[in-house]
Amino acid sequence: MGILEVSNLVTGYGDVEIVHGVDIEVEPEEMVCIIGPNGAGKSTLMKGIFGLIDRWDGQVVLDGQDVTNHPPHEMTKVGGSFVPQRNNIFPNLTVRENLEMGAYILDDVPEEQIEAIYDRFPILREREQQKAGTLSGGQQQMVAMGRALMLDPDLLLLDEPSAGLAPDLVADMFD
């Protein structure tokens, strides 16, 4: 059984169907890429999986639990996390505050997880008190990924994770 199982997912916007019966299975420790041209429905698929838009048909199972009718905040509680392509930080909050927002469902911010993120993205430690909206696009992407990692999710959905990153940072990010 995979960490994520999507069966016959149908979703879209308004009355326009964008995703037509998609099936995906992701195993633990597996990296799966959705590849296609602009406008093919990749972002819509991820938003549908994570519950950010209505799912019109199909089933989504995360870590053995049927989450088809779960809103995004419940997806996070089950072990999923999502980094959208755009508008994925709180620009008026500091880097540290953005990371803390990733742990909003916990009573206390896990300092060891913040340290792990700073170890993964050292520039964020240096910019900890800087407003996230003043960072470069690549640094903002690091903040968004760091926030998504705050709960140590079992599944991490990344929409265009290399967008705005310099080529040398893309390799580091995937590592």
Side-chain angles (χ1 to χ4, degrees), residues 1 10 25 30 68 72 86 89 91 126 143 156 163-164:
M1 177 178 272
V10 178
E25 185 169 335
E30 184 177 32
T68 304
R86 294 186 179 93
I89 61 161
E126 295 173 25
V143 170
L156 181 61

Side-chain angles (χ1 to χ4, degrees), residues 19-46:
V19 174
H20 316 282
V22 170
D23 297 323
I24 296 175
E25 185 169 335
V26 179
E27 298 295 328
E29 306 295 320
E30 184 177 32
M31 183 184 300
V32 175
C33 298
I34 309 298
I35 299 172
N38 289 341
K42 301 177 301 291
S43 296
T44 303
L45 173 62
M46 286 205 216

